[in-house]
Amino acid sequence: MQDASLNTPYFMIDEAKLIDNLEKAKQLKEISGVKLVLALKCFSTWGVFDIIKPYLDGTTSSGPYEVKLGYETFGGETHAYSVGYSKQDVLDVADICDKMIFNSQSQLEAYGHLIEGKASVGLRLNPGVSCAGQDLADPARKYSRLGVHADKIQPQLMDQLDGVMFHMNCENKSADSFIALLDDISDTFGLYLDKMEWVSLGGGVFFTWPGYELEKLGAALKAFSEKHGVQLYLEPGEAIITKTTDLVVTVVDIVENEKKTAIVDSATEAHRLDTLIYDEPASILEASESGSHEYVIGSCSCLAGDQFCVANFEQPLEIGQRLHVMDSAGYTMVKLNWFNGLKMPAIYCRRASGEVQKLNEFDYSDFKRSLSQWSVS
Ligand SMILES: Cc1ncc(COP(=O)(O)O)c(C=O)c1O
């Protein structure tokens, strides 16, 4: 399959780039002894899991269907976590997860007995400190509901636990900053950690970022796990999938209102939601900072402020031209929606051999079914 023959919009996952990230993950495991479970909330396009499986130890989840997906399509260790389980959720996943991590002591008390003898029991703790650029994604934000704070711990409940999970980073690119958080956790929770078999330090550690001090991170993780006698886990999502995937779109119109806007056959609200939620402009492969032709790359949704970015180009853009919206995998394919009845991007993988394989395609029937399957009678 030649790229030019593929209908836009579509995602193209690049196997060679994915393997570059996975090799760094492998190196981190070798240095530190940490186990890595893929955070499915970030990326769960299971069609490429055969590429990822040899490098990671399993998956972690945020809801019951992710647990099932991880168990069915990835294997290895399946960690189940949810901010709020119903009793049925716990029953649904108890037999297929290896670790069940509760978000609160009330959930542990209510449902812990349902997994006795089935899965290892964990509790999320909130260290009260974090490294997260935006308040919306800061697990230690004021009034956070995510995990138990140190001053609320009921010591007798801690005796029921095999492990604990912390998650306090979002795209943290600094090993030093992560190590400062580790030290804090060790000081505050050390006495409890010493009694655990395992500790998960969550996700958000951007160890595949260019220049990241991987060896420093690895040494700190090893020291922490030796100090407290625990098996450590990280739950990477973005670090695994970063910079591997383009969303390929076509310019369908160019309009002008003081600025030129190139309207493309995709929308951030439907196909790249975090651009909107976090107000972080996308990057376009064909753009060039020195180019003198400036365009707003506008979405084809009805939302007035829905745009991918403002970018400069060496040549004027033309209707029919394709653009590659870079780094469009993490927290993107998992959030696709049918707003405006826009065409859903197909999903392809470019294998390291150069061959392009189709992982999914969607049509009108998928849109229709997502809305209703039966009419009132
Ligand atoms: C509990 C937990 N683990 C792991 C992750 C994955 O984080 P990231 O994709 O930034 O590595 C998240 C992200 O929100 C999370 O909440």
Side-chain angles (χ1 to χ4, degrees), residues 247-283:
L247 169 60
V248 186
V249 300
T250 299
V251 177
V252 292
D253 197 7
I254 296 174
V255 296
E256 190 163 352
N257 176 17
E258 292 184 52
K259 285 187 176 196
K260 284 190 172 147
T261 295
I263 299 175
V264 299
D265 57 353
S266 174
T268 71
E269 200 175 22
H271 306 154
R272 207 175 189 280
L273 198 55
D274 277 10
T275 318
L276 266 187
I277 296 180
Y278 292 103
D279 195 18
E280 283 177 353
S283 300

Side-chain angles (χ1 to χ4, degrees), residues 60 80 122 146 179 190 193 206 236-237 244 284 294 333 339 353 363 365:
T60 190
L146 305 174
I179 291 167
L193 303 187
F206 222 155
T244 62
I284 307 290
E294 186 188 82
M333 287 180 227
F339 187 56
S353 62
D363 61 21
S365 64

Side-chain angles (χ1 to χ4, degrees), residues 39 131 167-174 178 201-207 212 234-239 331:
C131 174
H167 170 72
M168 62 284 177
N169 289 281
C170 184
E171 299 199 0
N172 185 351
K173 298 170 183 129
S174 154
F178 180 73
L201 295 165
V205 184
F206 222 155
F207 57 81
Y212 190 95
L234 287 178
E235 306 176 356
E238 192 62 51
Y331 300 98

